[in-house]
Coordinates of all heavy atoms in Angstrom, one line a residue:
M1 N -40.4 28.2 -12.1 CA -40.2 27.0 -13.0 C -38.7 26.9 -13.3 O -38.2 25.8 -13.3 CB -41.0 27.1 -14.3 CG -40.9 26.0 -15.2 SD -41.7 24.6 -14.4 CE -41.7 23.4 -15.7
N2 N -38.0 28.0 -13.6 CA -36.6 27.9 -13.9 C -35.8 27.5 -12.7 O -34.8 26.8 -12.9 CB -36.1 29.3 -14.4 CG -36.6 29.6 -15.8 OD1 -36.9 28.7 -16.6 ND2 -36.6 30.8 -16.2
A4 N -36.8 25.4 -10.4 CA -37.1 24.0 -10.2 C -36.2 23.2 -11.2 O -35.6 22.2 -10.8 CB -38.5 23.7 -10.4
A6 N -33.3 24.2 -12.5 CA -32.0 24.4 -12.0 C -31.7 23.5 -10.8 O -30.6 22.8 -10.7 CB -31.7 25.8 -11.6
L7 N -32.6 23.4 -9.9 CA -32.5 22.5 -8.7 C -32.4 21.0 -9.1 O -31.5 20.3 -8.7 CB -33.6 22.7 -7.7 CG -33.6 21.9 -6.5 CD1 -32.3 22.2 -5.7 CD2 -34.8 22.2 -5.6
V8 N -33.2 20.6 -10.0 CA -33.2 19.2 -10.5 C -31.9 18.9 -11.2 O -31.3 17.9 -11.0 CB -34.5 18.9 -11.3 CG1 -34.3 17.6 -12.1 CG2 -35.7 18.9 -10.5
M10 N -29.0 20.4 -10.8 CA -27.9 20.3 -9.8 C -27.9 19.0 -9.0 O -26.9 18.4 -8.8 CB -28.0 21.5 -8.8 CG -27.6 22.8 -9.4 SD -27.4 24.2 -8.4 CE -28.5 23.9 -7.0
A16 N -24.5 12.1 -10.3 CA -23.5 11.6 -11.3 C -22.1 11.7 -10.8 O -21.3 10.8 -11.0 CB -23.7 12.4 -12.6
A17 N -21.8 12.8 -10.1 CA -20.5 13.0 -9.6 C -20.2 12.0 -8.5 O -19.1 11.5 -8.4 CB -20.3 14.4 -9.0
Q18 N -21.2 11.7 -7.7 CA -21.0 10.7 -6.6 C -20.7 9.3 -7.2 O -19.9 8.5 -6.7 CB -22.2 10.6 -5.7 CG -22.3 11.8 -4.7 CD -23.5 11.7 -3.9 OE1 -24.4 10.9 -4.2 NE2 -23.5 12.5 -2.8
E19 N -21.4 9.0 -8.3 CA -21.2 7.7 -9.0 C -19.8 7.6 -9.6 O -19.1 6.6 -9.5 CB -22.2 7.5 -10.1 CG -23.6 7.2 -9.6 CD -23.6 5.9 -8.8 OE1 -23.0 4.9 -9.3 OE2 -24.3 5.8 -7.8
L21 N -17.1 9.3 -8.4 CA -16.2 9.1 -7.3 C -16.2 7.8 -6.6 O -15.2 7.3 -6.1 CB -16.5 10.2 -6.2 CG -16.2 11.6 -6.6 CD1 -16.7 12.6 -5.5 CD2 -14.7 11.8 -6.8
Q23 N -16.4 5.0 -8.1 CA -15.6 4.1 -8.9 C -14.1 4.4 -8.8 O -13.3 3.6 -9.3 CB -16.1 4.2 -10.4 CG -17.5 3.7 -10.6 CD -17.9 3.8 -12.0 OE1 -17.1 3.9 -12.9 NE2 -19.2 3.7 -12.2
W27 N -7.4 4.3 -1.3 CA -6.3 3.7 -0.6 C -6.0 4.5 0.6 O -6.2 5.7 0.6 CB -5.1 3.4 -1.5 CG -4.5 4.7 -2.0 CD1 -4.9 5.4 -3.1 CD2 -3.4 5.4 -1.5 NE1 -4.1 6.5 -3.2 CE2 -3.1 6.5 -2.2 CE3 -2.6 5.2 -0.4 CZ2 -2.1 7.4 -2.0 CZ3 -1.6 6.0 -0.1 CH2 -1.3 7.2 -0.9
I29 N -3.0 4.4 4.1 CA -1.9 3.7 4.9 C -2.0 4.3 6.3 O -2.0 5.5 6.5 CB -0.6 4.0 4.3 CG1 -0.5 3.4 2.9 CG2 0.6 3.5 5.1 CD1 0.8 3.7 2.1
R35 N 3.3 0.6 22.8 CA 4.2 0.1 23.9 C 3.4 -0.7 24.8 O 2.4 -0.3 25.4 CB 4.8 1.3 24.7 CG 5.8 0.9 25.7 CD 6.5 2.2 26.3 NE 7.3 1.9 27.4 CZ 8.5 1.4 27.4 NH1 9.1 1.2 26.2 NH2 9.2 1.2 28.4
N45 N 8.1 -2.6 22.6 CA 7.7 -1.6 21.6 C 7.3 -2.3 20.3 O 8.0 -3.3 19.9 CB 8.8 -0.6 21.3 CG 9.2 0.2 22.6 OD1 8.3 0.6 23.3 ND2 10.5 0.3 22.9
P47 N 6.1 -1.2 16.5 CA 5.7 -0.3 15.4 C 4.9 -1.2 14.4 O 5.1 -2.4 14.2 CB 6.9 0.2 14.8 CG 8.0 -0.9 15.1 CD 7.5 -1.5 16.4
S48 N 3.9 -0.6 13.7 CA 3.1 -1.3 12.8 C 2.7 -0.4 11.6 O 2.6 0.8 11.8 CB 1.9 -1.9 13.4 OG 1.0 -1.0 13.9
P58 N -19.8 -0.7 -11.0 CA -21.3 -1.0 -10.8 C -21.6 -2.4 -10.4 O -22.5 -2.6 -9.6 CB -21.8 -0.6 -12.2 CG -20.9 0.3 -12.8 CD -19.5 -0.1 -12.3
L60 N -19.1 -4.8 -9.3 CA -17.9 -5.4 -8.6 C -17.4 -4.5 -7.5 O -17.3 -3.3 -7.7 CB -16.9 -5.6 -9.7 CG -15.6 -6.3 -9.3 CD1 -15.9 -7.8 -8.9 CD2 -14.6 -6.2 -10.4
F61 N -17.0 -5.2 -6.4 CA -16.4 -4.5 -5.3 C -15.2 -5.3 -4.9 O -15.3 -6.5 -4.7 CB -17.3 -4.3 -4.2 CG -16.7 -3.7 -2.9 CD1 -16.4 -2.3 -2.9 CD2 -16.3 -4.5 -1.9 CE1 -15.8 -1.8 -1.8 CE2 -15.8 -3.9 -0.7 CZ -15.5 -2.6 -0.7
S65 N -6.3 -5.7 1.9 CA -5.8 -5.1 3.1 C -4.7 -6.0 3.7 O -4.7 -7.2 3.5 CB -6.9 -4.8 4.1 OG -7.5 -6.0 4.6
V68 N 1.6 -5.2 8.9 CA 2.9 -5.8 9.4 C 3.2 -5.1 10.7 O 3.0 -3.9 10.9 CB 4.0 -5.6 8.4 CG1 4.3 -4.2 8.0 CG2 5.3 -6.3 8.9
N73 N 12.9 -7.5 19.5 CA 13.6 -8.7 19.8 C 12.8 -10.0 19.6 O 13.1 -11.0 20.2 CB 14.2 -8.7 21.2 CG 15.2 -7.6 21.3 OD1 16.0 -7.3 20.4 ND2 15.3 -7.0 22.5
A74 N 11.6 -9.9 18.9 CA 10.8 -11.1 18.8 C 10.3 -11.4 17.4 O 9.5 -12.2 17.2 CB 9.6 -10.9 19.7
G80 N -2.9 -10.5 6.0 CA -3.4 -9.9 4.8 C -4.8 -10.5 4.5 O -5.1 -11.6 5.0
R81 N -5.6 -9.8 3.7 CA -6.9 -10.2 3.4 C -7.3 -9.6 2.0 O -7.0 -8.5 1.7 CB -7.9 -9.8 4.4 CG -9.3 -10.2 4.1 CD -10.3 -9.8 5.2 NE -11.6 -10.1 4.8 CZ -12.6 -10.4 5.6 NH1 -12.4 -10.3 6.9 NH2 -13.8 -10.7 5.1
D83 N -10.8 -9.4 -0.6 CA -12.2 -9.7 -0.9 C -12.6 -9.3 -2.2 O -12.1 -8.2 -2.7 CB -13.1 -9.0 0.2 CG -12.8 -9.4 1.6 OD1 -12.9 -10.6 1.9 OD2 -12.6 -8.5 2.4

Side-chain angles (χ1 to χ4, degrees):
M1 183 68 169
N2 288 338
L7 180 60
V8 169
M10 288 187 335
Q18 286 178 345
E19 287 297 319
L21 289 175
Q23 295 181 17
W27 64 275
I29 296 175
R35 182 171 174 84
N45 297 314
S48 64
L60 181 68
F61 174 77
S65 62
V68 60
N73 298 325
R81 179 177 175 155
D83 298 307

